[in-house]
Amino acid sequence: MNKEERIKVLQDVIKIKSVNDYESKVADYLANLFKKYGIESQKVKYCEGRESLVATYKKGDGKVLGISGHEDVVAAGDESEWIFPPFSAVIDGDKLYGRGSTDMKSGLVALAIAMIEIKEENVEINGTLKFMGTVGEEVGELGSEQLTKEGYADDLDGLIIGEPTGQALIYTHKGSMNYTVVSRGKSAHSSMPKEGINSIANINEFVMRANAEMQEVTNEYKNEVLGETAHSITIINGGDQVNSIPAITTLQGNIRTIPEFDNSKIKTLLKNIIDDLNKKDGFNLELIVDYDIYPVQSKPDSELIKSIQFVLKQELPITGISPTTDAAAFTKAENEFDLVIYGPGVPNLPHQIDEYVSIENYLEMIDTYKAIYKEYLK
């Protein structure tokens, strides 16, 4: 493809309003693009309107390199606050504006175009490129979880996820866990509180215990790259009116986990607090884990990372990040594989208004991906 075609493909994909839904339109567009260049693809249905896309190009019997990005984007918020409409893909100078331009349709499209150009230019490789565009990454790694369960990652030797990383190679990231605690009490008139059970008072005891014990975890366990566990109670809802004892109160919290004290240990800690409090008179607390993404840790000196460093002819920082990615699901596959998260875009722009990608960065990354594919599959 020439420069104008590369840019138009990205603009077309950004114009698709795949806000936590409607990813099928992105899958359709990319499937047609692959078909135009003689590459077979398969749509994997998650539910109505939501399809991941898997495409493969094989030339030789060598390694299998997975290349992946998510098709969904987060909501644009108040669209009137944007310089340009968020789904118009306007170009201003070197900046291409739009929701998903950085997170992460530029990475998704760059990975796909690089694969197409490897085929079109008949680049000498020995192996297979496997493109995996996923649904629902922003709301729980839905597509990558499905693809992993159905075996699409079981033959991988390496995997590149094209999230925006700037000048860094990411091989590890924190996990994320959302939980809800429901406190059930008994309503009564506030003039006769002993006739009721105050669900807010009971959940307050959970808050004090959870904050104290999670602070101990934060103090005791460290990861030299990812740092420490982070626990935040972020939502509390309880009570109906000011002169009634509240019968039901709910609490929600988020925890960013590290390998040294992972999600399973967190769940045990929280369950033990709940069980202990429920031994007290009047306590009826329930723990619900809403979102359970484990931390990811791969090898910082893998063959894939070495291939990238060789191609770039420089030593980029090899490090970790706090946000989760589709790697959390893909690394549950039957086999272990090389992993790197590396892509175009501005790392601190995801989910913000006036999101953009540098066109120069996007175009350069296509060429970089091509060189990486060739080196890793030589």
Side-chain angles (χ1 to χ4, degrees):
M1 293 188 197
N2 60 35
K3 175 181 175 181
E4 288 71 25
E5 289 172 323
R6 286 174 163 188
I7 294 171
K8 184 182 183 301
V9 171
L10 179 56
Q11 286 181 295
D12 288 346
V13 173
I14 290 172
K15 288 176 182 178
I16 299 171
K17 196 173 183 179
S18 54
V19 180
N20 298 327
D21 209 339
Y22 305 111
E23 292 101 330
S24 288
K25 295 181 180 180
V26 177
D28 288 342
Y29 182 94
L30 293 176
N32 289 332
L33 184 69
F34 282 125
K35 184 178 180 180
K36 177 181 176 181
Y37 290 95
I39 295 174
E40 294 297 320
S41 65
Q42 172 191 1
K43 284 178 263 189
V44 181
K45 185 174 182 178
Y46 180 79
C47 65
E48 196 62 37
R50 312 191 78 171
E51 292 175 306
S52 296
L53 183 70
V54 179
T56 56
Y57 169 60
K58 181 176 181 179
K59 186 180 181 182
D61 298 320
K63 291 180 288 193
V64 177
L65 176 60
I67 53 177
S68 183
H70 59 85
E71 303 165 347
D72 61 321
V73 299
V74 297
D78 186 348
E79 297 191 11
S80 68
E81 294 183 3
W82 286 66
I83 297 174
F84 305 107
F87 297 100
S88 59
V90 170
I91 294 174
D92 184 23
D94 181 53
K95 296 178 180 179
L96 198 168
Y97 285 89
R99 174 57 83 222
S101 53
T102 272
D103 185 19
M104 61 160 289
K105 287 180 174 177
S106 58
L108 176 75
V109 171
L111 290 164
I113 290 177
M115 176 171 156
I116 287 168
E117 293 186 3
I118 283 281
K119 178 181 182 295
E120 283 302 286
E121 296 167 12
N122 198 27
V123 174
E124 195 60 41
I125 62 170
N126 179 33
T128 300
L129 286 165
K130 178 183 282 189
F131 174 89
M132 295 180 288
T134 63
V135 304
E137 189 272 350
E138 297 287 5
V139 290
E141 285 81 48
L142 305 180
S144 54
E145 185 79 24
Q146 179 187 15
L147 292 181
T148 302
K149 286 180 178 178
E150 295 185 14
Y152 288 94
D154 287 348
D155 62 347
L156 299 184
D157 294 288
L159 175 65
I160 301 171
I161 295 180
E163 292 275 9
T165 58
Q167 292 299 302
L169 304 178
I170 306 302
Y171 76 98
T172 181
H173 65 65
K174 288 185 177 181
S176 182
M177 197 175 105
N178 293 342
Y179 70 91
T180 298
V181 174
V182 181
S183 172
R184 295 180 175 88
K186 179 184 176 184
S187 62
H189 198 283
S190 61
S191 66
M192 297 176 285
K194 291 183 180 180
E195 297 299 318
I197 299 172
N198 193 319
S199 62
I200 290 178
N202 288 354
I203 214 161
N204 186 52
E205 292 206 32
F206 171 82
V207 171
M208 292 188 292
R209 283 279 300 274
N211 280 341
E213 294 192 26
M214 285 303 305
Q215 188 60 52
E216 290 179 8
V217 171
T218 297
N219 294 341
E220 183 174 352
Y221 297 91
K222 309 284 182 184
N223 181 282
E224 62 180 21
V225 176
L226 299 175
E228 59 195 25
T229 303
H231 171 244
S232 303
I233 292 171
T234 51
I235 300 174
I236 298 178
N237 290 307
D240 298 310
Q241 62 183 60
V242 71
N243 62 341
S244 293
I245 299 301
I248 296 180
T249 300
T250 61
L251 168 153
Q252 289 180 280
N254 174 263
I255 304 169
R256 298 295 166 149
T257 58
I258 58 176
E260 289 76 6
F261 202 91
D262 67 14
N263 299 40
S264 63
K265 293 178 180 177
I266 296 285
K267 283 181 280 190
T268 299
L269 181 151
L270 294 177
K271 184 177 183 300
N272 287 342
I273 294 173
I274 295 290
D275 290 346
D276 191 40
L277 289 174
N278 281 341
K279 294 174 183 177
K280 301 170 70 170
D281 288 342
F283 277 75
N284 182 3
L285 305 180
E286 178 188 7
L287 173 67
I288 303 164
V289 176
D290 307 300
Y291 181 79
D292 191 19
I293 304 299
Y294 275 64
V296 167
Q297 189 154 21
S298 60
K299 296 177 182 178
D301 59 349
S302 70
E303 288 303 313
L304 180 54
I305 287 178
K306 289 178 181 177
S307 294
I308 295 172
Q309 299 282 39
F310 178 81
V311 164
L312 297 175
K313 296 181 172 57
Q314 59 177 311
E315 295 289 325
L316 289 187
I318 304 170
T319 186
I321 52 176
S322 292
T324 62
T325 73
D326 275 333
F330 283 130
T331 52
K332 294 178 185 176
E334 291 296 322
N335 64 311
E336 291 186 12
F337 49 78
D338 299 343
L339 169 71
V340 70
I341 303 163
Y342 179 51
V346 186
N348 63 352
L349 268 186
H351 303 196
Q352 295 189 39
I353 65 168
D354 297 333
E355 181 183 351
Y356 69 87
V357 66
S358 158
I359 293 174
E360 180 182 10
N361 178 213
Y362 161 68
L363 295 173
E364 285 180 350
M365 191 58 74
I366 295 173
D367 293 329
T368 298
Y369 282 150
K370 286 166 62 178
I372 293 168
Y373 300 170
K374 181 180 178 181
E375 176 63 23
Y376 190 69
L377 297 177
K378 64 185 180 182

